[in-house]
Amino acid sequence: MAKKDRTTDAAGERDREKWMARFQVRLAMQPGVDRVVVLRAVKEVTAHCADTGEHPRTAFGDPDAHAVRVATRLVPADRAARARRQDAVVDRISSMLGRAGDVAGP
């Protein structure tokens, strides 16, 4: 294999790895997504790309948008809604604790 081909292959592999890493992080941030959902989604993307030889960006588009689509498909709506409510409560508590710390001072 020529040096240029190896360089191109290495760059393509790094790009695939970056796409997958971003996809996994964005997917994990979606409401109601757990480890099982992330693993299932990664397996789906990996299998598709291995079968077709496509780059994940070509097959699925932007990793952020694909993460949202996958979460919508794999996470039951009630579980996602419950997670959003819990996140909102945690955010409010954190905000109140931060304000209380500001009032109390060092």
Side-chain angles (χ1 to χ4, degrees):
M1 180 180 284
K3 184 175 182 176
K4 185 176 181 181
D5 291 341
R6 285 189 300 240
T7 303
T8 303
D9 289 347
E13 184 58 31
R14 280 193 305 275
D15 190 44
R16 278 188 286 282
E17 289 172 2
K18 285 173 63 176
W19 190 97
M20 287 298 292
R22 182 164 182 112
F23 169 65
Q24 290 176 56
V25 168
R26 294 299 185 174
L27 181 58
M29 293 171 61
Q30 297 302 308
V33 170
D34 59 10
R35 183 175 182 266
V36 173
V37 171
V38 173
L39 292 174
R40 180 175 172 188
V42 167
K43 184 177 178 181
E44 288 175 359
V45 169
T46 303
H48 175 85
C49 292
D51 290 345
T52 64
E54 287 182 294
H55 186 285
R57 185 174 307 282
T58 304
F60 303 104
D62 178 67
D64 297 348
H66 188 57
V68 171
R69 287 190 304 269
V70 168
T72 301
R73 181 172 51 88
L74 296 180
V75 177
D78 61 326
R79 187 166 98 191
R82 187 171 47 253
R84 279 192 289 277
R85 285 192 303 272
Q86 289 172 345
D87 289 346
V89 169
V90 169
D91 289 345
R92 276 185 253 143
I93 291 171
S94 295
S95 176
M96 286 188 288
L97 289 175
R99 283 186 291 207
D102 291 343
V103 171

